[in-house]
Amino acid sequence: MDASDPSDADATDAAAAAQRSPDHHRDRDRDRDHDRDSDGILAEQLLRLTRRLHRIQSRQLEPIGITPAQFRLLRTVASYDAAPRMADLAQRLDVVPRAVTTLVDALEASGRVRRAPDPDSRRVVRIEITDEGRATLRSLRNARRAAAEEILAPLTAGQREVLGELLSALVDGMPERRC
């Protein structure tokens, strides 16, 4: 048998393929499973990052005496031109109205917001930010920046920009959810 004979080379290649076939199929199946699970892994990484950011932010907010959820509500109240209704806040925050009531209760007890009657309807209650609430927001913005800097420290400016674009694409691409 001549080693340069193409039929011998084909037979050798076929024999080698047959020998590696179980491993090759196993590798292919593992790759396919990995591709299928990569979205799950990515989701888990996002959840871990969210939890880490929440812990860091909580640590930054603790000396101010406010929770991340209260901070978010306070920021949201301040973002309105006119005092919002509880229902407006629930919709903007994408939470059930009862959750807003609990947060408003805590912020009102600390003097950061106040409930005010609606001038057009006695049944409607509006939420107003107080001077104490505005002062708290100023302090909280610094704590928020410090938390963001801590979590983003490993990234370069370019990576931060790309991350911002990717997160915007995810947030903007999410379908509206009704509570």
Side-chain angles (χ1 to χ4, degrees):
M1 208 176 345
D2 183 359
S4 63
D5 184 359
S7 62
D8 288 341
D10 289 343
T12 304
D13 289 345
Q19 286 179 340
R20 75 170 185 254
S21 182
D23 290 338
H24 175 72
H25 289 296
R26 201 170 337 156
D27 290 345
R28 188 186 67 215
D29 291 345
R30 186 179 59 236
D31 290 345
R32 187 175 33 224
D33 289 344
H34 176 74
D35 290 345
R36 236 183 278 142
D37 196 40
S38 64
D39 287 344
I41 292 168
L42 184 57
E44 179 60 31
Q45 288 172 317
L46 287 170
L47 286 171
R48 286 177 50 212
L49 184 61
T50 300
R51 286 186 203 114
R52 182 172 175 221
L53 182 58
H54 192 284
R55 279 192 309 273
I56 291 168
Q57 188 175 27
S58 293
R59 190 175 64 238
Q60 296 282 345
L61 298 178
E62 188 176 2
I64 299 169
I66 194 166
T67 67
Q70 291 169 350
F71 176 33
R72 187 170 173 233
L73 180 78
L74 195 59
R75 270 193 349 253
T76 303
V77 170
S79 73
Y80 281 89
D81 292 331
R85 300 173 305 140
M86 299 278 257
D88 299 331
L89 293 168
Q91 183 177 8
R92 172 90 55 98
L93 294 169
D94 197 22
V95 298
V96 295
R98 178 69 191 126
V100 170
T101 301
T102 301
L103 293 171
V104 168
D105 288 347
L107 288 171
E108 188 174 38
S110 68
R112 293 178 173 122
V113 300
R114 69 177 152 259
R115 287 176 167 89
D118 185 287
D120 300 327
S121 173
R122 290 186 303 168
R123 295 179 354 164
V124 175
V125 174
R126 302 236 173 222
I127 307 304
E128 297 176 341
I129 189 166
T130 64
D131 290 340
E132 175 68 23
R134 283 185 194 80
T136 300
L137 270 182
R138 284 189 293 276
S139 297
L140 293 171
R141 285 189 181 109
N142 293 332
R144 185 178 177 199
R145 274 193 288 279
E149 182 55 41
E150 186 174 336
I151 201 93
L152 298 172
L155 301 179
T156 66
Q159 290 171 323
R160 289 177 187 201
E161 186 176 328
V162 169
L163 178 61
E165 291 169 3
L166 292 171
L167 291 173
S168 291
L170 289 173
V171 171
D172 295 344
M174 292 177 68
E176 288 296 317
R177 187 177 68 135
R178 295 280 178 219
C179 293

